[in-house]
Amino acid sequence: MSEQRSGTGTALGQRHVVIVGAGMAGVQTAVALREQGFAGPVTLIGAEPHRPYDRPPLSKAVLLGKADGSAFDVDFAALGVTLELGREVTGVRPGDHELDTAAGPVRYDVLVVATGAEPVRLPGTDADPAVHLLRTLDDAARLRPVLAEQRDVVVVGAGWIGAEFATAAREAGCRVTVVEAAGRPLAGALPAEIAAPMAAWYADAGAELRTHARVRSVEPGSVVLDDGTQLPAGAVVIGIGARPATAWLAGSGIDLGGHGEVLADAGLRTSRADVYAVGDCSSFPSGRYAERLLVHHWDNALQGPRTVAANIIGETPAVYDPVPYFWSEQFGRFVQYAGHHRAADTTVWRGDPAGAAWSVCWLRAGALVGVLAVGRPRDLAQGRKLIEAGTALDPERLADPARPLKSALA
Ligand SMILES: Cc1cc2nc3c(=O)[nH]c(=O)nc-3n(C[C@H](O)[C@H](O)[C@H](O)COP(=O)(O)OP(=O)(O)OC[C@H]3O[C@@H](n4cnc5c(N)ncnc54)[C@H](O)[C@@H]3O)c2cc1C
């Protein structure tokens, strides 16, 4: 490692890297720093009291009691990473290179903001013990008895979390009603014609999906909709989206975007020197898709930290320009998505969306830019590589689900 000096006058290898947020992105930043040879002090500060854990199992095995937890298999002591858990960071003064916490200030040479996202709440329901969110291990622990006691559940929001929670609740034997303000599930994520077939999955699993339905109020034992319908509810689960957890950055001079996310550059640096941001809390300019992306998925929190670590170490400057990827397990189906379809000009279906396995490919100027695969992991794996390579495909051959996706090269 070179003996350059950082802006704070500390030898590069000795700089103290402080990571705020001990979720996937924070933990992976610490791991990546060590993997890439950073030998200086690393401190990982997390507001939650639990050992850092992975979130996807919370809406799956942990919720159903098939797993007690999902702690990361990382030996922080062996890595020489100092963990400060149960400690919330309340502010940052980049000019002083200092963080504020209730237990006193913390100095850093390099700061990594990895505070993730927080679920959007339903106004007026914060104090209601029957109303639940699903973001943390504690949330999942509070929801386990709801499933174990097979209470009637109303889920507000038919997005990824709502669908996964409804799946688990049905598996546990609960009566489940999902209330969605839009006309279809996943309205914010997928085009209407792609998401429309997914509405049938709810009914297949014995869950009732009510679209164009808005919650007027949550009463003891029930949810009242705008049209006066009263739905029995032993528990209510809110799944109406998440917002970057960045309130603590107010007044710091670190630039935030319209969703409250940290505006990072292509190297995941923020507007203030020596401050990086990664994971659910930040957006980055995608060269590949020529727009700024705010990605709230696990793979982004895995890949981004490698770029952050490389740029902190600084020997080989790195640019973050991934093909985004995520998966969801819902209603007995494995749903995967790679790429970004917003600017696509052509949509090609592979297979019958009423069936168990199908996929959709999006092309732009002939090149594959996005793929959604339902029960077709090979389509996803091949598609992901072709998207990375910017390969042009022949739409006619692509439409034949009996042929491997990669055989549709134009
Ligand atoms: C229930 C659930 C299921 C999911 N399933 C999938 C899935 O199937 N597939 C998929 O691709 N993605 C899934 N995701 C999304 C994925 O888990 C997230 O994208 C990922 O966790 C983001 O990691 P992160 O580290 O950026 O943020 P987080 O995981 O949110 O971690 C941020 C951490 O920072 C802490 N923090 C926040 N503010 C402060 C502060 N001021 N001081 C100190 N600490 C702070 C928080 O307490 C939190 O522990 C799921 C998410 C949830 C909630």
Side-chain angles (χ1 to χ4, degrees):
M1 195 170 296
S2 63
E3 273 304 300
Q4 270 168 259
R5 305 232 145 219
S6 79
T8 54
T10 311
L12 185 64
Q14 291 311 310
R15 285 178 304 165
H16 182 194
V17 178
V18 176
I19 304 163
V20 182
M24 181 71 180
V27 167
Q28 290 302 326
T29 302
V31 169
L33 279 166
R34 291 298 185 233
E35 277 176 359
Q36 294 180 31
F38 181 75
V42 176
T43 301
L44 181 58
I45 304 180
E48 293 182 67
H50 309 289
R51 259 193 97 68
Y53 61 88
D54 205 12
R55 282 178 213 283
L58 299 185
S59 52
K60 306 169 183 84
V62 173
L63 199 52
L64 284 163
K66 293 178 184 169
D68 277 334
S70 52
F72 291 116
D73 186 14
V74 174
D75 186 340
F76 293 99
L79 282 178
V81 171
T82 305
L83 275 184
E84 301 247 7
L85 301 175
R87 187 170 190 185
E88 186 181 351
V89 175
T90 52
V92 54
R93 286 168 282 111
D96 299 335
H97 281 67
E98 226 165 43
L99 298 167
D100 295 316
T101 78
V106 178
R107 244 196 94 64
Y108 66 82
D109 295 307
V110 178
L111 171 66
V112 180
V113 177
T115 44
E118 296 166 331
V120 176
R121 291 157 191 273
L122 197 63
T125 61
D126 274 0
D128 189 334
V131 177
H132 298 259
L133 301 166
L134 180 47
R135 180 81 197 177
T136 65
L137 193 56
D138 291 341
D139 292 336
R142 279 188 287 266
L143 276 164
R144 274 164 81 155
V146 169
L147 270 62
E149 291 161 19
Q150 301 186 324
R151 289 189 224 155
D152 292 347
V153 187
V154 171
V155 181
V156 183
W160 301 113
I161 295 288
E164 292 204 355
F165 177 81
T167 302
R170 281 303 300 143
E171 192 177 326
C174 300
R175 187 161 77 172
V176 178
T177 309
V178 181
V179 175
E180 169 57 53
R184 58 182 188 279
L186 295 167
L190 294 173
E193 80 269 21
I194 313 291
M198 297 176 172
W201 299 356
Y202 288 75
D204 291 350
E208 185 186 358
L209 172 65
R210 287 175 167 257
T211 53
H212 301 294
R214 284 183 180 276
V215 174
R216 180 193 294 164
S217 63
V218 176
E219 307 293 339
S222 72
V223 169
V224 182
L225 302 182
D226 254 1
D227 66 1
T229 308
Q230 204 157 352
L231 303 169
V236 182
V237 178
I238 311 296
I240 53 175
R243 296 281 172 270
T246 55
W248 64 284
L249 297 175
S252 67
I254 295 173
D255 289 346
L256 303 182
H259 300 280
E261 84 280 17
V262 180
L263 293 174
D265 71 8
L268 301 182
R269 293 177 200 84
T270 72
S271 58
R272 295 304 301 255
D274 303 321
V275 183
Y276 294 78
V278 65
D280 280 14
C281 68
S282 74
S283 66
F284 56 90
S286 162
R288 190 184 292 278
Y289 297 107
E291 65 179 282
R292 184 164 275 281
L293 297 183
L294 171 58
V295 179
H296 277 191
H297 296 298
W298 186 90
D299 192 62
N300 179 54
L302 171 70
Q303 311 286 353
R306 293 178 192 150
T307 301
V308 171
N311 287 329
I312 289 173
I313 294 168
E315 282 172 354
T316 353
V319 164
Y320 189 54
D321 198 9
V323 170
Y325 165 74
F326 67 86
W327 81 97
S328 171
E329 292 158 52
Q330 47 179 285
F331 307 115
R333 290 165 176 87
F334 190 42
V335 180
Q336 295 167 286
Y337 179 100
H340 183 63
H341 64 265
R342 219 174 69 102
D345 53 37
T346 308
T347 305
V348 181
W349 289 84
R350 285 169 60 76
D352 177 2
W358 49 275
S359 47
V360 176
C361 294
W362 286 276
L363 306 176
R364 180 161 193 232
L368 188 66
V369 290
V371 56
L372 171 79
V374 177
R376 288 179 65 97
R378 258 188 221 155
D379 277 5
L380 191 287
Q382 293 176 11
R384 198 174 179 182
K385 287 189 190 139
L386 294 170
I387 295 169
E388 259 158 33
T391 311
L393 298 181
D394 173 58
E396 248 172 60
R397 268 182 284 150
L398 191 58
D400 180 355
R403 290 171 183 243
L405 191 149
K406 65 181 178 194
S407 73
L409 298 189

